[in-house]
Amino acid sequence: MKLQHQHERMMQRLRQQGIQHPAVLQAMQAIPRHLFIDPAMSSFAYADNALPIGQGQTISQPYIVARMTEALLTQGIPPNVLEIGTGCGYQTAILAKLIRHIYTVERIKNLTDKARERLENLGLENISYYYGDGYLGWRDHAPYSAIIVTAAPEQVPTALLEQLEIGGCLIIPVGERGQQALLKITRSRSGYQQSLLDYVSFVPLQKGTIGRTRED
Ligand code: SAH
């Protein structure tokens, strides 16, 4: 089956799975997912699975990307977003189609560099990249209107709570591998309110950074 046809099937499936936000659907339609993975795996690009992207990491399942993006937009479109876990850059690309500016942080140098090259080739210019430990957020541009984390810590990092604007929301999977809760945490003047969106399975959020390596 042609990749374009598989992309159409993915779009149909997202609608059946309950994704409704027109701008989210438009962004998922506009970004070719197969450009974010190894060409040898192109035929799996549009399936409803996570896939390996090198360095023991994975690109998230299309439904989860759409679900997390929708969750960020429930109070309108935030002007900027901090993303922790650039990975291959697929979620970053979807966000960049919707939001004025994206700040994205990745702890593995090879992944950061490749994602940047891909996103620049797609003509997406409203993204700032940072190679560093996302446990600490990215203080230089804080506070953020929204924060999305695509790897799971065992507890919500306090730096991320601190770097969230009042009225902003943080979407984050929390817990051990295989039993994580996807949380939406909203900051108000009086504190933080938490709600459970789903149960998910992400790779762990890990501390520190990994420099350039030859092996991918
Ligand atoms: N949204 C990405 C998901 C990649 S998997 C995609 O669709 O491709 C999660 C990513 O989070 C991995 O690339 C991993 O290296 C990164 N990560 C894990 N811990 C991190 C940390 N402390 N800071 C920044 N990135 C981190």
Side-chain angles (χ1 to χ4, degrees), residues 115-200:
R116 183 186 202 130
E117 194 185 322
R118 262 188 211 114
L119 295 165
E120 285 177 357
N121 284 339
L122 282 170
L124 297 168
E125 289 172 348
N126 54 334
I127 304 167
S128 303
Y129 302 84
Y130 177 47
Y131 159 59
D133 183 351
Y135 257 101
L136 308 172
W138 188 356
R139 221 167 270 285
D140 299 6
H141 305 284
Y144 300 95
S145 317
I147 302 179
I148 182 170
V149 186
T150 63
E154 288 190 10
Q155 276 164 11
V156 180
T158 46
L160 299 183
L161 293 171
E162 284 163 13
Q163 291 174 28
L164 190 61
E165 212 169 78
I166 291 176
C169 73
L170 164 64
I171 311 290
I172 184 167
V174 180
E176 286 168 31
R177 202 188 268 265
Q179 46 175 337
Q180 300 150 356
L182 183 63
L183 302 179
K184 175 171 182 170
I185 300 173
T186 309
R187 183 172 193 180
S188 67
R189 262 173 225 293
S190 55
Y192 297 88
Q193 288 81 38
Q194 178 174 311
S195 62
L196 174 67
L197 297 177
D198 231 319
Y199 289 97
V200 288

Side-chain angles (χ1 to χ4, degrees), residues 79-96:
N80 61 58
V81 171
L82 171 68
E83 177 192 40
I84 307 297
T86 317
C88 68
Y90 180 68
Q91 172 82 70
T92 324
I94 302 294
L95 293 171

Side-chain angles (χ1 to χ4, degrees), residues 196-209:
L196 174 67
L197 297 177
D198 231 319
Y199 289 97
V200 288
S201 178
F202 276 87
V203 296
L205 192 75
Q206 289 174 299
K207 294 209 164 119
T209 55

Side-chain angles (χ1 to χ4, degrees), residues 10 72 77 89 159 195-196:
M10 180 189 93
L72 275 186
I77 298 198
S195 62
L196 174 67

